[in-house]
Amino acid sequence: MAKYPPPEELIKINYSTPVKSWMDTKTPFKPGNFSYPGKPDILKYLGMPNPRVWSPTDDDWQLPPDWQRLVMEKFRSLLKKYRSFKVFMDICVRCGACADKCHFFIGGGDPKNMPVLRAELLRSIYRGEFSAAAKVLGKLAGARKLEEDVIKEWFLYFYQCTECRRCSLFCPYGIDTAEITMMARELLHEVGCNINWILEPAANCNRTGNHLGIQPHAYKDMMDFLCDDIEDITGKRIRPNVNKKGCEILFITPSGDIFADPGIYTYMGYLILFEHLGLDVTWSTYASEGGNFGLFTSDKMMKKINGKMYNEAKRLGVKWILGGECGHMWRVINQYMSTMNGPADFLETPVSPITGTKFDAASGTKMLHIAEFTADLIKNKKLNLDPSRNDNFISTFHDSCNPARGMGLLEEPRYIMKNVCRQFYEMPENTIREQTFCCGGGAGLNNEEFTETRLRGGLPRGNAVKYVRDRHGVNNLACICAIDRATLPPLCDYWAPGVGVSGVHELVGNAIILDGEKKRTTDLRQNPLPGMEDEEE
């Protein structure tokens, strides 16, 4: 890990009220609190405005000559298109219920990261342009004019929001601050102010079918490498179907799970599960990404990236789609799919071919979460499991923001873990389930240059992990999100050293007893199983 202030320095947080009004406080750009802007070639590829080389620390951001007109025209169009956006601009009473709910405010103390004030950055322009009374009263009515400093302020703070929606849970009016952030980012796109960590994955997905830009042949090679590892561990050769037409199920998971530790072990868990079941399932090297960075870009990009999964399902002639452990994929599917790409009437409501369970909750999207699928298998006693194989892990569970708050997937992962692990402990009640704290790197903010702010934002989650580490000896934080599996390891290393990170289906893969497997002496990471240390030597 790069050098950052030690935890004892980072927790010296100043929550005092600023001397000046927030409207009179300049935007402080410094290393560690902003993400690098979109590269010109990426913007050109995506057909986005104002491609150029620039830095947020520049005095001149090289905005278009008519940038104010562009922003306000887009503002008007968004207000017209989304009734919810206008409602969110109008109904906030600034009660402060959300003020201390944002992990970035808790970990950093900047008042502009209070969700209510972050929204005011946008709402103040709304009042100044669309309210006759506010135009006259100005600051007295919370209104201001659109100036270049406002654009800079938007860029900093709307790219310090992970769209986790924890604040919305506590809002008495149900204002969805994540959607306010989404609208603000669309406004920033109009003048070419965006970040590369979002746009490049979106461009890769548009070109190759996954965020990482992995070509189909390379994806297949990586699958084969993981099958080699499974054969070394279990003695069984798995030969998954790839791009096969006519299978019952298409399985789609984030590309991060095939690319890097610790996601690859979750990917291996999927392969072992499907082999154990003899499932009629195919993978795709074209729809090789469940994640959707379009959610952090624009409605058009979100629709296009989501549509590729359904287009591939139609091409392959499957009956329904099974989705892997991902975060934002499931918010898009659960909350936007039906009105965005639906109806998926060429597919069938998912029915487990193993248990016969019909998943009516997925009747609209025709797509089922792997945790729901596996929990049903366990409930119906269809898996041969040895939970003692996970005895090296003393686990807790991190509720990923989008599956938890975006689709209510709270019990199924826990049910799985309690059946594949013998040591499981919950973090404090106000840090889990619907009230879960974000990893600090969602919504496209899991980049290296933003790490110090991510660590600050990760303080609430890190503190909860540290609590169960110290109280129960927890050494593993399981989750069902690929971005979490990328961002939580450095967070745990920083705030709760000694705690590793895994996917839930890595633990499932460890516990499954395959028919005809050799004597298992290691887990999927090829670490000795409990009691097998001497045999490995």
Side-chain angles (χ1 to χ4, degrees):
M1 183 184 290
K3 295 291 289 183
Y4 304 106
E8 54 269 23
E9 290 294 323
L10 230 57
I11 60 174
K12 295 177 181 178
I13 303 165
N14 180 10
Y15 294 113
S16 61
T17 303
V19 176
K20 294 183 179 179
S21 162
W22 70 266
M23 287 191 188
D24 299 321
T25 305
K26 289 291 185 181
T27 303
F29 286 97
K30 55 185 180 181
N33 81 339
F34 65 88
S35 301
Y36 296 151
K39 297 176 182 177
D41 58 327
I42 299 297
L43 269 69
K44 290 176 184 176
Y45 173 79
L46 293 172
M48 299 181 74
N50 198 23
R52 68 209 184 282
V53 176
W54 66 287
S55 170
T57 56
D58 294 342
D59 291 331
D60 181 6
W61 280 26
Q62 305 172 56
L63 302 179
D66 58 345
W67 67 268
Q68 289 166 311
R69 178 186 64 81
L70 293 170
V71 170
M72 293 318 303
E73 285 183 356
K74 184 66 174 180
F75 211 139
R76 288 187 185 90
S77 72
L78 292 173
L79 289 168
K80 184 177 180 181
K81 184 174 183 179
Y82 300 108
R83 183 173 60 180
S84 60
F85 183 35
K86 189 175 190 310
V87 170
F88 296 158
M89 289 291 98
D90 285 332
I91 66 172
C92 178
V93 295
R94 288 173 280 188
C95 68
C98 66
D100 61 348
K101 305 306 186 295
C102 176
H103 48 285
F104 284 121
F105 173 69
I106 294 172
D110 188 335
K112 291 182 184 178
N113 271 326
M114 292 180 181
V116 58
L117 186 44
R118 190 189 294 116
E120 283 293 306
L121 306 181
L122 196 60
R123 197 175 282 120
S124 58
I125 301 302
Y126 169 78
R127 293 193 195 99
E129 295 291 334
F130 301 106
S131 167
K135 280 185 177 181
V136 175
L137 296 173
K139 284 187 178 182
L140 290 175
R144 59 177 177 163
K145 293 181 179 179
L146 181 61
E147 299 173 341
E148 191 165 339
D149 280 347
V150 172
I151 296 296
K152 293 180 178 182
E153 193 175 50
W154 286 359
F155 180 86
L156 182 66
Y157 291 104
F158 287 113
Y159 284 107
Q160 283 189 16
C161 171
T162 54
E163 301 180 17
C164 79
R165 302 172 71 239
R166 188 174 192 267
C167 52
S168 301
L169 182 72
F170 295 90
C171 176
Y173 290 93
I175 295 172
D176 191 333
T177 305
E179 292 202 353
I180 293 176
T181 293
M182 292 161 68
M183 298 299 100
R185 291 183 180 186
E186 289 216 32
L187 295 175
L188 288 167
H189 290 322
E190 290 299 301
V191 293
C193 295
N194 28 53
I195 69 171
N196 200 66
W197 196 260
I198 292 175
L199 296 190
E200 189 160 347
N204 287 339
C205 205
N206 188 66
R207 188 180 68 256
T208 68
N210 59 73
H211 291 151
L212 297 172
I214 304 169
Q215 299 287 345
H217 63 281
Y219 191 94
K220 178 62 168 61
D221 287 345
M222 294 162 87
M223 286 186 77
D224 290 341
F225 292 147
L226 296 181
C227 289
D228 291 342
D229 286 346
I230 291 172
E231 186 174 16
D232 290 342
I233 295 164
T234 69
K236 293 203 66 173
R237 183 69 192 181
I238 294 177
R239 293 178 174 82
N241 296 320
V242 181
N243 301 330
K244 183 180 178 181
K245 292 185 176 181
C247 288
E248 181 175 358
I249 303 166
L250 169 63
F251 181 68
I252 302 176
T253 196
S255 59
D257 282 347
I258 199 172
F259 181 72
D261 180 336
I264 55 174
Y265 308 116
T266 299
Y267 198 103
M268 292 165 69
Y270 301 144
L271 290 166
I272 289 172
L273 174 65
F274 300 159
E275 173 72 12
H276 181 54
L277 298 172
L279 199 64
D280 185 20
V281 61
T282 186
W283 304 64
S284 170
T285 60
Y286 301 103
S288 51
E289 178 64 69
N292 191 330
F293 270 47
L295 177 63
F296 318 135
T297 309
S298 69
D299 61 328
K300 291 180 180 178
M301 183 64 71
M302 174 168 50
K303 180 177 181 177
K304 185 174 185 180
I305 291 176
N306 187 66
K308 79 181 186 309
M309 299 190 294
Y310 288 88
N311 292 335
E312 182 68 346
K314 181 178 285 188
R315 185 184 77 85
L316 294 175
V318 300
K319 291 182 178 180
W320 55 277
I321 304 172
L322 182 63
E325 295 181 10
C326 184
H328 46 286
M329 169 172 78
W330 285 104
R331 186 177 183 204
V332 173
I333 292 295
N334 193 60
Q335 296 195 316
Y336 301 117
M337 160 60 194
S338 294
T339 55
M340 188 168 60
N341 297 99
D345 49 11
F346 61 92
L347 295 171
E348 300 176 8
T349 298
V351 176
S352 172
I354 310 302
T355 67
T357 300
K358 186 176 183 180
F359 295 91
D360 290 318
S363 60
T365 64
K366 311 299 192 292
M367 189 165 178
L368 182 67
H369 195 289
I370 187 72
E372 297 173 282
F373 180 72
T374 302
D376 176 66
L377 292 168
I378 294 172
K379 181 181 178 182
N380 286 281
K381 297 180 170 53
K382 298 297 183 181
L383 298 183
N384 189 7
L385 300 171
D386 179 2
S388 71
R389 291 177 175 177
N390 285 312
D391 280 356
N392 284 333
F393 296 108
I394 306 173
S395 294
T396 190
F397 179 68
H398 164 74
D399 291 275
S400 303
C401 301
N402 287 305
R405 282 187 284 266
M407 65 182 297
L409 194 70
L410 306 172
E411 301 305 329
E412 292 87 345
R414 290 175 166 82
Y415 181 76
I416 294 169
M417 291 192 65
K418 290 173 183 177
N419 280 275
V420 300
C421 300
R422 299 198 295 188
Q423 303 176 90
F424 175 77
Y425 298 94
E426 292 278 20
M427 288 179 280
E429 186 177 352
N430 64 343
T431 71
I432 59 173
R433 300 180 185 273
E434 295 95 334
Q435 296 187 52
T436 187
F437 277 107
C438 183
C439 66
L445 304 184
N446 56 320
N447 54 66
E448 181 66 26
E449 66 269 19
F450 194 65
T451 300
E452 183 175 330
T453 301
R454 276 172 39 204
L455 292 174
R456 291 182 184 276
L459 169 61
R461 171 49 71 225
N463 195 41
V465 175
K466 182 178 183 295
Y467 174 83
V468 288
R469 182 202 67 180
D470 295 347
R471 189 177 182 88
H472 302 293
V474 163
N475 61 12
N476 182 56
L477 177 63
C479 60
I480 52 172
C481 173
I483 285 182
D484 283 335
R485 286 192 283 277
T487 58
L488 288 173
L491 182 151
C492 288
D493 288 345
Y494 188 82
W495 292 113
V499 179
V501 176
S502 76
V504 169
H505 277 78
E506 174 186 345
L507 304 175
V508 173
N510 284 338
I512 284 177
I513 302 172
L514 289 170
D515 292 341
E517 70 176 17
K518 72 177 185 181
K519 183 179 180 181
R520 292 272 291 271
T521 59
T522 70
D523 61 20
L524 296 184
R525 303 187 185 211
Q526 301 196 35
N527 293 323
L529 292 175
M532 297 292 178
E533 294 81 2
D534 292 340
E535 295 200 29
E536 279 304 293
E537 291 176 4

